[in-house]
mmCIF file of all heavy atoms in Angstrom:
data_model
loop_
_atom_site.group_PDB
_atom_site.id
_atom_site.type_symbol
_atom_site.label_atom_id
_atom_site.label_comp_id
_atom_site.label_asym_id
_atom_site.label_seq_id
_atom_site.Cartn_x
_atom_site.Cartn_y
_atom_site.Cartn_z
ATOM 1 N N PRO B 67 29.562 -4.466 -28.883
ATOM 2 C CA PRO B 67 28.451 -4.275 -29.705
ATOM 3 C C PRO B 67 27.726 -2.957 -29.319
ATOM 4 O O PRO B 67 27.546 -2.714 -28.150
ATOM 5 C CB PRO B 67 27.459 -5.553 -29.442
ATOM 6 C CG PRO B 67 27.933 -5.987 -28.165
ATOM 7 C CD PRO B 67 29.381 -5.667 -27.925
ATOM 8 N N ALA B 68 27.214 -2.236 -30.199
ATOM 9 C CA ALA B 68 26.601 -0.961 -29.952
ATOM 10 C C ALA B 68 25.242 -1.258 -29.333
ATOM 11 O O ALA B 68 24.606 -0.336 -28.772
ATOM 12 C CB ALA B 68 26.550 -0.084 -31.215
ATOM 13 N N SER B 69 24.653 -2.467 -29.485
ATOM 14 C CA SER B 69 23.290 -2.615 -29.075
ATOM 15 C C SER B 69 23.297 -3.009 -27.590
ATOM 16 O O SER B 69 24.155 -2.625 -26.829
ATOM 17 C CB SER B 69 22.765 -3.711 -29.885
ATOM 18 O OG SER B 69 23.433 -4.992 -29.615
ATOM 19 N N SER B 70 22.326 -3.664 -27.304
ATOM 20 C CA SER B 70 21.916 -3.811 -25.873
ATOM 21 C C SER B 70 23.009 -4.522 -24.999
ATOM 22 O O SER B 70 23.760 -5.344 -25.419
ATOM 23 C CB SER B 70 20.648 -4.561 -25.731
ATOM 24 O OG SER B 70 20.724 -5.761 -26.533
ATOM 25 N N HIS B 71 22.999 -4.086 -23.769
ATOM 26 C CA HIS B 71 23.912 -4.869 -22.833
ATOM 27 C C HIS B 71 23.196 -4.845 -21.503
ATOM 28 O O HIS B 71 22.313 -4.111 -21.233
ATOM 29 C CB HIS B 71 25.303 -4.024 -22.688
ATOM 30 C CG HIS B 71 24.922 -2.594 -22.144
ATOM 31 N ND1 HIS B 71 24.635 -1.511 -23.052
ATOM 32 C CD2 HIS B 71 24.978 -2.094 -20.936
ATOM 33 C CE1 HIS B 71 24.406 -0.511 -22.218
ATOM 34 N NE2 HIS B 71 24.606 -0.801 -20.958
ATOM 35 N N VAL B 72 23.697 -5.729 -20.724
ATOM 36 C CA VAL B 72 22.960 -5.945 -19.453
ATOM 37 C C VAL B 72 23.845 -5.071 -18.404
ATOM 38 O O VAL B 72 24.968 -5.278 -18.347
ATOM 39 C CB VAL B 72 23.021 -7.469 -19.025
ATOM 40 C CG1 VAL B 72 22.654 -7.533 -17.570
ATOM 41 C CG2 VAL B 72 22.076 -8.203 -19.893
ATOM 42 N N LEU B 73 23.115 -4.300 -17.670
ATOM 43 C CA LEU B 73 23.792 -3.459 -16.627
ATOM 44 C C LEU B 73 23.623 -4.138 -15.408
ATOM 45 O O LEU B 73 22.451 -4.257 -14.873
ATOM 46 C CB LEU B 73 23.152 -2.068 -16.683
ATOM 47 C CG LEU B 73 23.940 -1.104 -15.817
ATOM 48 C CD1 LEU B 73 25.118 -0.686 -16.625
ATOM 49 C CD2 LEU B 73 23.098 0.161 -15.536
ATOM 50 N N LEU B 74 24.542 -4.713 -14.765
ATOM 51 C CA LEU B 74 24.445 -5.353 -13.551
ATOM 52 C C LEU B 74 24.910 -4.601 -12.405
ATOM 53 O O LEU B 74 26.119 -4.172 -12.478
ATOM 54 C CB LEU B 74 25.246 -6.772 -13.614
ATOM 55 C CG LEU B 74 24.774 -7.803 -14.540
ATOM 56 C CD1 LEU B 74 25.692 -8.960 -14.630
ATOM 57 C CD2 LEU B 74 23.332 -8.334 -14.125
ATOM 58 N N THR B 75 24.191 -4.343 -11.487
ATOM 59 C CA THR B 75 24.567 -3.639 -10.307
ATOM 60 C C THR B 75 25.008 -4.699 -9.252
ATOM 61 O O THR B 75 25.182 -5.881 -9.666
ATOM 62 C CB THR B 75 23.412 -2.855 -9.645
ATOM 63 O OG1 THR B 75 22.291 -3.597 -9.454
ATOM 64 C CG2 THR B 75 23.034 -1.690 -10.617
ATOM 65 N N ASP B 76 25.050 -4.374 -8.053
ATOM 66 C CA ASP B 76 25.528 -5.467 -7.073
ATOM 67 C C ASP B 76 24.554 -6.501 -7.194
ATOM 68 O O ASP B 76 23.372 -6.486 -7.085
ATOM 69 C CB ASP B 76 25.435 -4.882 -5.677
ATOM 70 C CG ASP B 76 26.193 -3.578 -5.568
ATOM 71 O OD1 ASP B 76 27.303 -3.457 -5.949
ATOM 72 O OD2 ASP B 76 25.491 -2.607 -5.104
ATOM 73 N N LEU B 77 25.121 -7.773 -7.429
ATOM 74 C CA LEU B 77 24.297 -8.811 -7.689
ATOM 75 C C LEU B 77 23.716 -9.434 -6.398
ATOM 76 O O LEU B 77 24.363 -9.235 -5.296
ATOM 77 C CB LEU B 77 25.114 -9.874 -8.416
ATOM 78 C CG LEU B 77 25.406 -9.486 -9.856
ATOM 79 C CD1 LEU B 77 26.252 -10.642 -10.450
ATOM 80 C CD2 LEU B 77 24.274 -9.168 -10.640
ATOM 81 N N SER B 78 22.578 -10.032 -6.551
ATOM 82 C CA SER B 78 21.937 -10.556 -5.391
ATOM 83 C C SER B 78 22.786 -11.657 -4.718
ATOM 84 O O SER B 78 23.426 -12.432 -5.436
ATOM 85 C CB SER B 78 20.657 -11.197 -5.836
ATOM 86 O OG SER B 78 20.060 -11.984 -4.805
ATOM 87 N N GLN B 79 22.801 -11.679 -3.436
ATOM 88 C CA GLN B 79 23.601 -12.725 -2.821
ATOM 89 C C GLN B 79 23.282 -14.044 -2.956
ATOM 90 O O GLN B 79 24.131 -14.900 -2.803
ATOM 91 C CB GLN B 79 23.693 -12.383 -1.315
ATOM 92 C CG GLN B 79 24.263 -11.062 -0.894
ATOM 93 C CD GLN B 79 23.639 -10.552 0.459
ATOM 94 O OE1 GLN B 79 22.970 -11.293 1.033
ATOM 95 N NE2 GLN B 79 23.993 -9.402 0.764
ATOM 96 N N ARG B 80 22.060 -14.173 -3.480
ATOM 97 C CA ARG B 80 21.612 -15.566 -3.685
ATOM 98 C C ARG B 80 22.029 -16.161 -4.964
ATOM 99 O O ARG B 80 21.720 -17.366 -5.261
ATOM 100 C CB ARG B 80 20.051 -15.661 -3.661
ATOM 101 C CG ARG B 80 19.625 -15.287 -2.228
ATOM 102 C CD ARG B 80 18.249 -15.909 -2.015
ATOM 103 N NE ARG B 80 17.740 -15.320 -0.779
ATOM 104 C CZ ARG B 80 16.424 -15.105 -0.618
ATOM 105 N NH1 ARG B 80 15.557 -15.367 -1.611
ATOM 106 N NH2 ARG B 80 15.968 -14.599 0.403
ATOM 107 N N TRP B 81 22.645 -15.502 -5.818
ATOM 108 C CA TRP B 81 23.060 -15.954 -7.165
ATOM 109 C C TRP B 81 24.325 -16.861 -6.886
ATOM 110 O O TRP B 81 25.392 -16.266 -6.551
ATOM 111 C CB TRP B 81 23.511 -14.899 -8.146
ATOM 112 C CG TRP B 81 23.350 -15.251 -9.541
ATOM 113 C CD1 TRP B 81 22.685 -16.323 -10.075
ATOM 114 C CD2 TRP B 81 24.134 -14.757 -10.595
ATOM 115 N NE1 TRP B 81 22.915 -16.248 -11.458
ATOM 116 C CE2 TRP B 81 23.811 -15.451 -11.763
ATOM 117 C CE3 TRP B 81 25.013 -13.694 -10.656
ATOM 118 C CZ2 TRP B 81 24.264 -15.080 -13.077
ATOM 119 C CZ3 TRP B 81 25.546 -13.339 -11.948
ATOM 120 C CH2 TRP B 81 25.120 -14.047 -13.076
ATOM 121 N N LYS B 82 23.977 -18.111 -6.934
ATOM 122 C CA LYS B 82 25.137 -19.070 -6.433
ATOM 123 C C LYS B 82 26.221 -19.295 -7.413
ATOM 124 O O LYS B 82 26.044 -20.251 -8.244
ATOM 125 C CB LYS B 82 24.470 -20.382 -6.013
ATOM 126 C CG LYS B 82 23.507 -20.202 -4.825
ATOM 127 C CD LYS B 82 22.928 -21.525 -4.299
ATOM 128 C CE LYS B 82 21.984 -21.384 -3.166
ATOM 129 N NZ LYS B 82 20.812 -20.751 -3.594
ATOM 130 N N CYS B 83 27.305 -18.539 -7.407
ATOM 131 C CA CYS B 83 28.378 -18.683 -8.375
ATOM 132 C C CYS B 83 29.035 -20.012 -8.236
ATOM 133 O O CYS B 83 29.369 -20.609 -9.292
ATOM 134 C CB CYS B 83 29.368 -17.599 -8.186
ATOM 135 S SG CYS B 83 28.761 -16.044 -8.948
ATOM 136 N N PRO B 84 29.461 -20.476 -7.141
ATOM 137 C CA PRO B 84 30.179 -21.750 -7.112
ATOM 138 C C PRO B 84 29.451 -22.909 -7.709
ATOM 139 O O PRO B 84 30.035 -23.737 -8.376
ATOM 140 C CB PRO B 84 30.452 -21.968 -5.642
ATOM 141 C CG PRO B 84 29.595 -21.052 -4.849
ATOM 142 C CD PRO B 84 29.302 -19.932 -5.841
ATOM 143 N N LYS B 85 28.169 -22.995 -7.414
ATOM 144 C CA LYS B 85 27.421 -24.130 -8.068
ATOM 145 C C LYS B 85 27.507 -24.028 -9.542
ATOM 146 O O LYS B 85 27.562 -25.080 -10.257
ATOM 147 C CB LYS B 85 26.021 -23.941 -7.652
ATOM 148 C CG LYS B 85 25.531 -24.985 -6.624
ATOM 149 C CD LYS B 85 24.066 -25.161 -6.453
ATOM 150 C CE LYS B 85 23.777 -26.176 -5.507
ATOM 151 N NZ LYS B 85 22.427 -26.065 -4.898
ATOM 152 N N LEU B 86 27.483 -22.847 -10.070
ATOM 153 C CA LEU B 86 27.519 -22.696 -11.495
ATOM 154 C C LEU B 86 28.879 -23.216 -12.082
ATOM 155 O O LEU B 86 28.917 -23.974 -13.091
ATOM 156 C CB LEU B 86 27.434 -21.196 -11.824
ATOM 157 C CG LEU B 86 27.235 -20.776 -13.298
ATOM 158 C CD1 LEU B 86 25.881 -21.315 -13.656
ATOM 159 C CD2 LEU B 86 27.250 -19.310 -13.456
ATOM 160 N N GLN B 87 29.967 -22.901 -11.364
ATOM 161 C CA GLN B 87 31.227 -23.382 -11.889
ATOM 162 C C GLN B 87 31.290 -24.950 -11.813
ATOM 163 O O GLN B 87 31.777 -25.619 -12.646
ATOM 164 C CB GLN B 87 32.349 -22.772 -11.016
ATOM 165 C CG GLN B 87 32.391 -21.246 -11.315
ATOM 166 C CD GLN B 87 33.529 -20.596 -10.627
ATOM 167 O OE1 GLN B 87 34.331 -21.142 -9.900
ATOM 168 N NE2 GLN B 87 33.581 -19.247 -10.682
ATOM 169 N N ASN B 88 30.755 -25.394 -10.686
ATOM 170 C CA ASN B 88 30.720 -26.940 -10.516
ATOM 171 C C ASN B 88 29.975 -27.577 -11.720
ATOM 172 O O ASN B 88 30.412 -28.548 -12.314
ATOM 173 C CB ASN B 88 30.061 -27.367 -9.251
ATOM 174 C CG ASN B 88 30.957 -27.076 -8.071
ATOM 175 O OD1 ASN B 88 32.082 -26.921 -8.292
ATOM 176 N ND2 ASN B 88 30.280 -26.971 -6.914
ATOM 177 N N LEU B 89 28.879 -26.913 -12.111
ATOM 178 C CA LEU B 89 28.035 -27.574 -13.160
ATOM 179 C C LEU B 89 28.754 -27.468 -14.499
ATOM 180 O O LEU B 89 28.607 -28.243 -15.307
ATOM 181 C CB LEU B 89 26.698 -26.845 -13.265
ATOM 182 C CG LEU B 89 25.846 -27.170 -12.035
ATOM 183 C CD1 LEU B 89 24.724 -26.153 -11.687
ATOM 184 C CD2 LEU B 89 25.208 -28.574 -12.325
ATOM 185 N N ARG B 90 29.487 -26.343 -14.637
ATOM 186 C CA ARG B 90 30.071 -26.202 -15.940
ATOM 187 C C ARG B 90 31.215 -27.363 -16.145
ATOM 188 O O ARG B 90 31.400 -27.880 -17.137
ATOM 189 C CB ARG B 90 30.921 -24.945 -16.051
ATOM 190 C CG ARG B 90 31.369 -24.582 -17.455
ATOM 191 C CD ARG B 90 32.314 -23.434 -17.570
ATOM 192 N NE ARG B 90 31.711 -22.246 -17.014
ATOM 193 C CZ ARG B 90 32.315 -21.316 -16.451
ATOM 194 N NH1 ARG B 90 33.583 -21.465 -16.241
ATOM 195 N NH2 ARG B 90 31.738 -20.243 -16.026
ATOM 196 N N HIS B 91 31.849 -27.672 -15.026
ATOM 197 C CA HIS B 91 32.734 -28.802 -15.074
ATOM 198 C C HIS B 91 31.986 -30.093 -15.289
ATOM 199 O O HIS B 91 32.457 -30.875 -16.091
ATOM 200 C CB HIS B 91 33.550 -28.931 -13.761
ATOM 201 C CG HIS B 91 34.434 -27.744 -13.559
ATOM 202 N ND1 HIS B 91 35.117 -27.206 -14.551
ATOM 203 C CD2 HIS B 91 34.596 -26.956 -12.334
ATOM 204 C CE1 HIS B 91 35.794 -26.102 -14.034
ATOM 205 N NE2 HIS B 91 35.538 -25.987 -12.682
ATOM 206 N N LYS B 92 30.857 -30.182 -14.588
ATOM 207 C CA LYS B 92 30.218 -31.499 -14.697
ATOM 208 C C LYS B 92 29.464 -31.676 -16.140
ATOM 209 O O LYS B 92 29.244 -32.663 -16.713
ATOM 210 C CB LYS B 92 29.027 -31.581 -13.656
ATOM 211 C CG LYS B 92 29.596 -32.044 -12.322
ATOM 212 C CD LYS B 92 28.436 -32.329 -11.346
ATOM 213 C CE LYS B 92 28.866 -32.243 -9.902
ATOM 214 N NZ LYS B 92 27.760 -32.049 -9.084
ATOM 215 N N GLY B 93 29.141 -30.523 -16.639
ATOM 216 C CA GLY B 93 28.469 -30.463 -17.920
ATOM 217 C C GLY B 93 27.051 -30.872 -17.726
ATOM 218 O O GLY B 93 26.422 -31.286 -18.812
ATOM 219 N N GLN B 94 26.558 -30.917 -16.662
ATOM 220 C CA GLN B 94 25.156 -31.304 -16.367
ATOM 221 C C GLN B 94 24.389 -30.332 -15.602
ATOM 222 O O GLN B 94 25.005 -29.469 -14.918
ATOM 223 C CB GLN B 94 25.137 -32.660 -15.600
ATOM 224 C CG GLN B 94 25.625 -33.841 -16.372
ATOM 225 C CD GLN B 94 25.764 -35.042 -15.485
ATOM 226 O OE1 GLN B 94 25.277 -34.928 -14.234
ATOM 227 N NE2 GLN B 94 26.165 -36.152 -15.912
ATOM 228 N N PHE B 95 23.121 -30.498 -15.618
ATOM 229 C CA PHE B 95 22.305 -29.670 -14.682
ATOM 230 C C PHE B 95 21.058 -30.530 -14.328
ATOM 231 O O PHE B 95 20.634 -31.346 -14.985
ATOM 232 C CB PHE B 95 21.886 -28.313 -15.315
ATOM 233 C CG PHE B 95 21.184 -28.569 -16.564
ATOM 234 C CD1 PHE B 95 19.711 -28.588 -16.552
ATOM 235 C CD2 PHE B 95 21.683 -28.661 -17.826
ATOM 236 C CE1 PHE B 95 19.001 -28.832 -17.711
ATOM 237 C CE2 PHE B 95 21.000 -28.894 -19.022
ATOM 238 C CZ PHE B 95 19.677 -28.944 -18.897
ATOM 239 N N HIS B 96 20.661 -30.092 -13.198
ATOM 240 C CA HIS B 96 19.499 -30.868 -12.743
ATOM 241 C C HIS B 96 18.155 -30.060 -12.696
ATOM 242 O O HIS B 96 18.222 -28.860 -12.388
ATOM 243 C CB HIS B 96 19.661 -31.304 -11.255
ATOM 244 C CG HIS B 96 20.847 -32.178 -11.084
ATOM 245 N ND1 HIS B 96 20.924 -33.449 -11.517
ATOM 246 C CD2 HIS B 96 22.100 -31.960 -10.703
ATOM 247 C CE1 HIS B 96 22.096 -33.984 -11.361
ATOM 248 N NE2 HIS B 96 22.887 -33.012 -10.729
ATOM 249 N N GLY B 97 17.101 -30.499 -13.266
ATOM 250 C CA GLY B 97 15.966 -29.635 -13.438
ATOM 251 C C GLY B 97 15.415 -29.158 -12.027
ATOM 252 O O GLY B 97 14.909 -28.119 -11.999
ATOM 253 N N SER B 98 15.639 -29.896 -11.031
ATOM 254 C CA SER B 98 15.115 -29.545 -9.753
ATOM 255 C C SER B 98 15.834 -28.293 -9.247
ATOM 256 O O SER B 98 15.241 -27.479 -8.534
ATOM 257 C CB SER B 98 15.357 -30.532 -8.693
ATOM 258 O OG SER B 98 16.676 -30.966 -8.593
ATOM 259 N N GLN B 99 17.135 -27.999 -9.694
ATOM 260 C CA GLN B 99 17.729 -26.881 -9.145
ATOM 261 C C GLN B 99 17.249 -25.488 -9.898
ATOM 262 O O GLN B 99 17.459 -24.475 -9.400
ATOM 263 C CB GLN B 99 19.246 -27.026 -9.423
ATOM 264 C CG GLN B 99 19.861 -27.909 -8.476
ATOM 265 C CD GLN B 99 21.309 -28.229 -8.860
ATOM 266 O OE1 GLN B 99 21.722 -27.991 -9.916
ATOM 267 N NE2 GLN B 99 21.953 -28.943 -7.960
ATOM 268 N N LYS B 100 16.733 -25.749 -11.077
ATOM 269 C CA LYS B 100 16.435 -24.468 -11.835
ATOM 270 C C LYS B 100 15.425 -23.588 -11.149
ATOM 271 O O LYS B 100 15.296 -22.406 -11.300
ATOM 272 C CB LYS B 100 15.951 -24.874 -13.286
ATOM 273 C CG LYS B 100 14.520 -25.154 -13.247
ATOM 274 C CD LYS B 100 13.860 -24.868 -14.700
ATOM 275 C CE LYS B 100 12.552 -25.645 -14.803
ATOM 276 N NZ LYS B 100 11.619 -25.164 -13.915
ATOM 277 N N ALA B 101 14.560 -24.280 -10.271
ATOM 278 C CA ALA B 101 13.482 -23.550 -9.694
ATOM 279 C C ALA B 101 14.007 -22.449 -8.726
ATOM 280 O O ALA B 101 13.395 -21.366 -8.557
ATOM 281 C CB ALA B 101 12.552 -24.430 -8.984
ATOM 282 N N SER B 102 15.120 -22.716 -8.162
ATOM 283 C CA SER B 102 15.674 -21.729 -7.155
ATOM 284 C C SER B 102 16.564 -20.639 -7.823
ATOM 285 O O SER B 102 16.904 -19.762 -7.167
ATOM 286 C CB SER B 102 16.431 -22.483 -6.116
ATOM 287 O OG SER B 102 17.573 -23.143 -6.717
ATOM 288 N N LYS B 103 16.888 -20.744 -9.081
ATOM 289 C CA LYS B 103 17.728 -19.866 -9.723
ATOM 290 C C LYS B 103 16.904 -18.720 -10.387
ATOM 291 O O LYS B 103 15.852 -19.015 -10.993
ATOM 292 C CB LYS B 103 18.601 -20.545 -10.797
ATOM 293 C CG LYS B 103 19.320 -21.684 -10.289
ATOM 294 C CD LYS B 103 20.547 -21.208 -9.416
ATOM 295 C CE LYS B 103 21.346 -22.417 -9.053
ATOM 296 N NZ LYS B 103 21.905 -22.376 -7.792
ATOM 297 N N VAL B 104 17.452 -17.645 -10.289
ATOM 298 C CA VAL B 104 16.809 -16.492 -11.028
ATOM 299 C C VAL B 104 17.804 -15.756 -11.830
ATOM 300 O O VAL B 104 18.931 -15.494 -11.327
ATOM 301 C CB VAL B 104 16.201 -15.383 -9.998
ATOM 302 C CG1 VAL B 104 15.593 -14.247 -10.699
ATOM 303 C CG2 VAL B 104 15.144 -16.110 -9.084
ATOM 304 N N LEU B 105 17.632 -15.582 -13.058
ATOM 305 C CA LEU B 105 18.443 -14.735 -13.848
ATOM 306 C C LEU B 105 18.360 -13.374 -13.350
ATOM 307 O O LEU B 105 17.355 -12.682 -13.407
ATOM 308 C CB LEU B 105 17.944 -14.759 -15.318
ATOM 309 C CG LEU B 105 18.258 -16.127 -16.080
ATOM 310 C CD1 LEU B 105 17.620 -16.064 -17.462
ATOM 311 C CD2 LEU B 105 19.647 -16.377 -16.246
ATOM 312 N N ALA B 106 19.582 -12.874 -13.095
ATOM 313 C CA ALA B 106 19.638 -11.569 -12.409
ATOM 314 C C ALA B 106 19.854 -10.466 -13.398
ATOM 315 O O ALA B 106 20.879 -10.284 -13.981
ATOM 316 C CB ALA B 106 20.638 -11.464 -11.376
ATOM 317 N N PHE B 107 18.715 -9.680 -13.752
ATOM 318 C CA PHE B 107 18.833 -8.560 -14.547
ATOM 319 C C PHE B 107 19.127 -7.278 -13.822
ATOM 320 O O PHE B 107 19.876 -6.440 -14.257
ATOM 321 C CB PHE B 107 17.496 -8.356 -15.342
ATOM 322 C CG PHE B 107 17.248 -9.516 -16.323
ATOM 323 C CD1 PHE B 107 16.558 -10.585 -15.874
ATOM 324 C CD2 PHE B 107 17.754 -9.418 -17.577
ATOM 325 C CE1 PHE B 107 16.295 -11.605 -16.865
ATOM 326 C CE2 PHE B 107 17.448 -10.404 -18.533
ATOM 327 C CZ PHE B 107 16.748 -11.585 -18.069
ATOM 328 N N TYR B 108 18.583 -7.226 -12.616
ATOM 329 C CA TYR B 108 18.797 -6.098 -11.769
ATOM 330 C C TYR B 108 19.084 -6.745 -10.425
ATOM 331 O O TYR B 108 18.556 -7.675 -10.010
ATOM 332 C CB TYR B 108 17.626 -5.202 -11.696
ATOM 333 C CG TYR B 108 17.190 -4.544 -13.057
ATOM 334 C CD1 TYR B 108 16.346 -5.094 -13.940
ATOM 335 C CD2 TYR B 108 17.923 -3.420 -13.478
ATOM 336 C CE1 TYR B 108 16.062 -4.693 -15.200
ATOM 337 C CE2 TYR B 108 17.561 -2.952 -14.707
ATOM 338 C CZ TYR B 108 16.691 -3.564 -15.549
ATOM 339 O OH TYR B 108 16.473 -3.000 -16.750
ATOM 340 N N GLY B 109 19.931 -5.945 -9.713
ATOM 341 C CA GLY B 109 20.388 -6.475 -8.415
ATOM 342 C C GLY B 109 19.841 -5.715 -7.227
ATOM 343 O O GLY B 109 19.313 -4.648 -7.451
#
Side-chain angles (χ1 to χ4, degrees):
Chain B
S69 61
S70 47
H71 61 277
V72 168
L73 190 76
L74 293 173
T75 55
D76 311 307
L77 295 179
S78 167
Q79 294 155 6
R80 293 206 194 145
W81 201 26
K82 296 186 179 71
C83 285
K85 251 191 178 161
L86 193 64
Q87 291 179 3
N88 287 338
L89 285 160
R90 192 192 301 147
H91 295 317
K92 282 188 198 162
Q94 288 173 2
F95 57 92
H96 302 284
S98 58
Q99 283 170 348
K100 85 155 161 67
S102 62
K103 304 290 190 219
V104 177
L105 286 174
F107 294 90
Y108 298 95

